[in-house]
Amino acid sequence: MRFFPYDQPYENQRKAMDRIYNSLHQGRDVLFEGACGTGKTLSSLIPALEIAREEDKTVVITTNVHQQMRQFVAEARAITREESIRAVVFKGKASMCHIDVGYEECQALRDNTRAVVDAERDREQLERRQRELLAESQDGDGSAADARSAVMDELDDIEERLEDLEEQNVCDYYRNNLTGDTDDFFGWLFEDVRTPDDIYEHAEERQFCGYELLKEGLEGVDLVVCNYHHLLDSTIREQFFRWLGRDPEDVIAVFDEAHNVEDAAREHATRTCSERTFDSALDELADTDDPRSEDAANVLSAFHRALVETYEDSFGFGDREGIGDNWSDVPIANDDRKDDLTLEFLQRYSGRGIEDDLEAAMKLGQELDEQYEEAYREGETATRTECQTLQAAGFVSAWMTESSAEGLYPVVSVTRDAGTDEIYGRAELYSCLPRQVTGQLFEEVYATVLMSATLQPFDVTENVLGLEDAVTMAYGLQFPEDNRRTYAVETPPLFSSDRDDPAVQEDVTETIHDAVRMTPGNTLAFFPNYGEAGRYADRLERRTDRTVYLDEPGVSVEDLRTQFVADDDAVLCTSLWGTLAEGVSFDGDDANTVLVVGVPYPHLDDRAEAVQEAYDVAFDGTDTGWRYAVEIPTVRKTRQALGRVIRSPEEVGVRALLDRRYSRDAKSDLGKYSVNGTFPHEEREELIDIGPDKLKFAMLNFYGGHDEYDGEPPSP
């Protein structure tokens, strides 16, 4: 309890902390599901810090939700008021760089700058030594004169080296790090928990590189708050742990919003290479007189032509005109043979051998990359050139060796350049099995806590992420049950084939309208996609005098949320797959009722089918893929949306699922299309099946019983 920053924990919070502490003490991973009000962050962080103090570990807490990052900072600051800890919030270089250069450029600048500073220090030492020897020689010491002559020769060499170095690119901010007094900066850094923005501004005022100083300050800290990619990207993770001064087994990792780890891990494992990279690589090779360039160009041009031919062959009548500025997939995988791109590549390639040509391309690319590095260091170029040959050859090599590996799905995509109207493509090795990323991470670190409001079913989470023998715990809503109602409203199932049915639209619109007018305050309405949100926002506007807000792609979510919560009797229509469905709280009177309209299955494209098939194979079940990859993530999305309201014990609200597939009674006649059984047992027990015509009366009675309803009663 020495790290607990408040008077007393909730009862379940204390239980959770005890269980997590005991689990971490044994080095075991933890899956922790907690509804709003269970205090998940502190329940995980407090025991992790205690074990870290006892066992000399470092706690890394990570999230991919910006609002949660702010909460972590607030909790860490509260903890430091009770117990002294060294905590930092870490972001990537791109968000903290004062001169806005890429990673490779930054690395070259650092090396050049350090070389200059080291040479200047050497010169200073030699000048001091030559003055000492001069004084000794003037006192009659003959050997001192000879020694001074040797020192003067070294000084001449240093001066020549400095002349060369000073023509190279350097970073003045980093130079100040190396030559200035940074003690005050580190004193300021650990006086409190500083955000990356705080560090950037403080360093900018003093002309320091805050990012490099932050990296130096990581070693020996108790707590680091960071983004997912610092742990999920194996290359970044290795560097990150090195900056921490920790081996992986000395790190306790805490993942917030852990239901998102599956998709994030899949994204980090996926490799892509666009047609434009191949274009640039071939231009690069054409400008090179190295004899290996011909072999390299031979293999890369064959793959490039195969990529273009593959997507061109896929176009039917009018398809080319329909390509927009978002990437659109071209299916190329085959069940009984290699993918279409590989087959086209093999047909077009002619040469001494693909493997030999790729080896030549890789070696030449590495040498060119070293030349670009040297040119930037020497100040011959203003920016650090990326070697496109190396990138393209590395991708083709991976494509040929890994495209048929377990869990990897080959894809070709096309897009249209909005500026030139040109269509171009990319090849992609899409990773279907997240555990190929996360399994290694969980095995390396000391222990992990994965927390979320929607982690169940735990066995699925364990399988998908590659966890073994994890401790599992779940705590439901701790607030008074009398303050909430959760309805499964038996409106017509919004199957995609029925969404355009006028009768279905009318039934759903009427039910939404009833819920909105029975709500004493604001209503949140989530739909399967933005198109459906727009459809019902239009229909609702025609029959209600309440303000209807519509969340659309490209609109500032924060501005929209600010307008909505400032209203008293409004409705906000949005997609369940948008940013308002999780990580955003609607506290107090911000919203009283939340509606989830329809079952928001994701778009079931070829990638989704590939994931299902990969899960079927990996987990030995014909229906496993659908359950793991589609049904469970969909219900988790629904549960996340329901959690946007009723955020404290005093709040009163209604949560309604508008689709017959959510009801208990539908299981008998809808069969596999029913999703009621996918909810955790406690949440299923709380669902009240109700007819759409009865919802308005149920809500009137509920809100009326809490003195919340002040409108006219609905007509029968």
Side-chain angles (χ1 to χ4, degrees):
M1 293 300 296
R2 59 176 162 173
F3 293 105
F4 194 79
Y6 308 117
D7 291 339
Q8 291 293 328
Y10 307 135
E11 180 182 353
N12 281 348
Q13 194 175 34
R14 183 184 290 275
K15 292 178 182 177
M17 287 193 293
D18 286 343
R19 289 198 64 192
I20 292 173
Y21 172 84
N22 290 330
S23 302
L24 294 180
H25 186 68
Q26 300 169 39
R28 297 180 65 186
D29 298 315
V30 177
L31 292 175
F32 173 29
E33 177 174 299
C36 175
T38 50
K40 292 188 295 296
T41 300
L42 287 178
S43 295
S44 301
L45 187 54
I46 296 301
L49 286 171
E50 182 63 37
I51 290 293
R53 182 67 58 86
E54 293 175 6
E55 304 289 340
D56 188 25
K57 309 294 183 187
T58 293
V59 178
V60 177
I61 187 166
T62 179
T63 184
N64 68 337
V65 179
H66 185 65
Q67 183 162 318
Q68 291 300 103
M69 184 79 76
R70 292 198 295 266
Q71 180 186 340
F72 293 163
V73 172
E75 301 285 25
R77 285 174 174 165
I79 290 170
T80 60
R81 308 292 185 265
E82 298 297 317
E83 181 76 12
S84 176
I85 64 169
R86 288 160 63 89
V88 297
V89 184
F90 193 80
K91 267 192 175 181
K93 190 198 76 63
S95 62
M96 295 188 68
C97 183
H98 300 269
I99 58 175
D100 193 24
V101 296
Y103 176 78
E104 298 291 344
E105 291 172 311
C106 179
Q107 187 176 34
L109 286 173
R110 287 199 312 270
D111 292 344
N112 283 351
T113 305
R114 183 173 291 280
V116 169
V117 170
D118 287 345
E120 289 174 341
R121 286 172 177 165
D122 290 343
R123 180 178 63 183
E124 183 180 339
Q125 291 175 357
L126 289 169
E127 286 179 340
R128 185 166 56 249
R129 179 59 178 156
Q130 74 87 12
R131 287 193 298 269
E132 293 171 353
L133 291 170
L134 176 62
E136 293 174 12
S137 65
Q138 289 173 343
D139 290 339
D141 187 343
S143 63
D146 292 338
R148 180 174 179 271
S149 177
V151 169
M152 294 301 293
D153 289 341
E154 289 186 56
L155 266 173
D156 289 341
D157 291 340
I158 287 286
E159 292 290 356
E160 288 181 13
R161 184 146 56 95
L162 272 171
E163 286 181 13
D164 293 337
L165 288 171
E166 285 168 356
E167 294 177 1
Q168 298 179 8
N169 292 313
V170 296
C171 175
D172 291 333
Y173 287 90
Y174 185 57
R175 183 188 186 110
N176 292 335
N177 285 14
L178 298 175
T179 59
D181 184 354
T182 58
D183 289 346
D184 288 345
F185 175 89
F186 288 113
W188 167 84
L189 179 65
F190 292 114
E191 281 176 354
D192 203 345
V193 181
R194 310 296 185 182
T195 68
D197 289 342
D198 295 335
I199 294 168
Y200 180 93
E201 292 172 7
H202 190 81
E204 176 69 25
E205 291 173 2
R206 291 152 183 81
Q207 294 293 286
F208 288 139
C209 174
Y211 176 69
E212 290 297 323
L213 289 178
L214 182 58
K215 280 165 52 178
E216 290 181 35
L218 281 178
E219 188 164 354
V221 298
D222 302 293
L223 172 66
V224 183
V225 181
C226 65
N227 295 314
Y228 274 2
H229 65 264
H230 289 107
L231 293 183
L232 293 180
D233 187 299
S234 59
T235 302
I236 295 175
R237 180 169 73 243
E238 183 179 346
Q239 292 179 328
F240 184 54
F241 286 173
R242 189 164 59 247
W243 297 332
L244 286 174
R246 291 294 197 178
D247 293 325
E249 58 265 27
D250 295 322
V251 172
I252 299 172
V254 180
F255 281 88
D256 179 61
E257 302 294 347
H259 60 280
N260 290 322
V261 171
E262 177 181 351
D263 286 339
R266 188 176 288 124
E267 179 182 337
H268 278 88
T270 296
R271 301 183 62 167
T272 63
C273 193
S274 88
E275 181 181 334
R276 292 186 166 176
T277 299
F278 287 101
D279 288 335
S280 299
L282 293 171
D283 290 342
E284 186 176 58
L285 291 169
D287 293 335
T288 303
D289 57 7
D290 190 287
R292 292 168 295 183
S293 62
E294 184 176 347
D295 292 335
N298 183 47
V299 68
L300 295 185
S301 63
F303 196 91
H304 174 266
R305 292 195 306 273
L307 173 61
V308 174
E309 194 66 28
T310 299
Y311 69 70
E312 289 286 356
D313 284 349
S314 74
F315 293 150
F317 180 76
D319 287 347
R320 170 178 282 276
E321 291 70 27
I323 300 298
D325 55 6
N326 292 320
W327 287 102
S328 302
D329 285 354
V330 175
I332 62 170
N334 298 299
D335 293 333
D336 56 347
R337 62 187 188 279
K338 289 185 176 295
D339 63 89
D340 293 344
L341 174 54
T342 300
L343 293 173
E344 186 70 30
F345 173 50
L346 294 174
Q347 184 175 344
R348 287 184 169 274
Y349 173 80
S350 61
R352 59 176 184 154
I354 291 175
E355 188 174 334
D356 290 338
D357 282 356
L358 283 174
E359 183 179 0
M362 289 289 289
K363 288 182 177 179
L364 176 56
Q366 289 166 355
E367 291 181 15
L368 289 173
D369 198 56
E370 290 169 2
Q371 292 173 20
Y372 297 150
E373 174 85 6
E374 184 67 20
Y376 183 68
R377 288 180 188 277
E378 297 294 333
E380 297 171 9
T381 57
T383 59
R384 204 284 193 187
T385 304
E386 298 286 340
C387 181
Q388 304 300 300
T389 298
L390 186 59
Q391 292 189 31
F395 179 81
V396 176
S397 179
W399 183 276
M400 297 305 294
T401 58
E402 301 174 14
S403 59
S404 58
E406 179 190 11
L408 289 179
Y409 180 68
V411 185
V412 167
S413 305
V414 291
T415 189
R416 186 184 299 275
D417 188 306
T420 65
D421 203 40
E422 173 192 358
I423 288 176
Y424 64 99
R426 72 179 181 192
E428 179 177 350
L429 285 173
Y430 179 67
S431 180
C432 299
L433 298 176
R435 67 179 185 179
Q436 293 176 338
V437 173
T438 54
Q440 179 184 359
L441 167 64
F442 299 146
E443 188 176 318
E444 288 179 354
V445 298
Y446 173 78
T448 308
V449 181
L450 295 103
M451 59 179 180
S452 168
T454 56
L455 277 182
Q456 296 189 74
F458 290 128
D459 62 325
V460 174
T461 301
E462 287 182 279
N463 287 341
V464 167
L465 298 183
L467 285 163
E468 295 183 5
D469 192 32
V471 176
T472 61
M473 59 187 75
Y475 298 95
L477 271 175
Q478 305 301 301
F479 308 145
E481 292 187 17
D482 289 344
N483 283 0
R484 66 181 185 271
R485 289 291 183 273
T486 309
Y487 298 110
V489 187
E490 296 182 321
T491 51
L494 277 182
F495 294 115
S496 57
S497 58
D498 296 331
R499 289 177 186 170
D500 292 330
D501 186 327
V504 170
Q505 292 177 16
E506 181 59 27
D507 287 346
V508 172
T509 304
E510 186 61 31
T511 307
I512 296 172
H513 180 237
D514 285 345
V516 169
R517 67 193 181 100
M518 291 300 101
T519 299
N522 288 342
T523 301
L524 276 169
F526 293 96
F527 295 86
N529 52 57
Y530 285 109
E532 290 297 290
R535 183 205 300 271
Y536 285 98
D538 289 342
R539 295 179 66 90
L540 201 55
E541 278 188 319
R542 294 197 290 268
R543 66 176 69 195
T544 183
D545 57 358
R546 296 197 178 191
T547 304
V548 178
Y549 294 94
L550 175 62
D551 177 22
E552 299 176 278
V555 174
S556 169
V557 171
E558 191 54 43
D559 290 347
L560 182 66
R561 183 188 179 283
T562 300
Q563 295 177 51
F564 172 66
V565 300
D567 219 320
D568 292 325
D569 295 292
V571 56
L572 171 57
C573 297
T574 184
S575 167
L576 202 87
W577 298 96
T579 56
L580 290 172
E582 61 177 274
V584 179
S585 299
F586 291 85
D587 302 317
D589 294 328
D590 289 351
N592 296 94
T593 294
V594 59
L595 310 175
V596 175
V597 183
V599 178
Y601 288 121
H603 178 55
L604 299 179
D605 55 14
D606 290 307
R607 289 176 190 246
E609 290 185 8
V611 173
Q612 292 179 59
E613 291 175 7
Y615 283 168
D616 280 338
V617 172
F619 305 120
D620 300 323
T622 53
D623 294 327
T624 303
W626 171 262
R627 182 167 177 262
Y628 279 27
V630 180
E631 187 171 289
I632 289 172
T634 296
V635 170
R636 281 177 178 158
K637 275 289 183 185
T638 300
R639 296 173 64 209
Q640 283 286 330
L642 292 180
R644 296 313 94 207
V645 300
I646 313 177
R647 311 285 294 183
S648 72
E650 299 77 25
E651 292 181 29
V652 174
V654 166
R655 308 179 301 174
L657 302 168
L658 274 59
D659 192 300
R660 191 160 171 268
R661 288 172 285 182
Y662 290 113
S663 70
R664 184 180 292 104
D665 291 342
K667 287 191 288 186
S668 59
D669 57 319
L670 286 178
K672 70 175 185 178
Y673 297 110
S674 169
V675 296
N676 180 274
T678 309
F679 285 79
H681 173 75
E682 297 79 6
E683 293 181 23
R684 284 202 308 273
E685 291 299 303
E686 196 168 319
L687 280 175
I688 301 171
D689 289 0
I690 191 170
D693 56 331
K694 300 294 197 308
L695 178 64
K696 54 190 172 186
F697 299 107
M699 290 182 63
L700 174 61
N701 291 334
F702 171 75
Y703 280 123
H706 287 83
D707 298 323
E708 295 285 342
Y709 183 77
D710 57 4
E712 292 295 325
S715 57

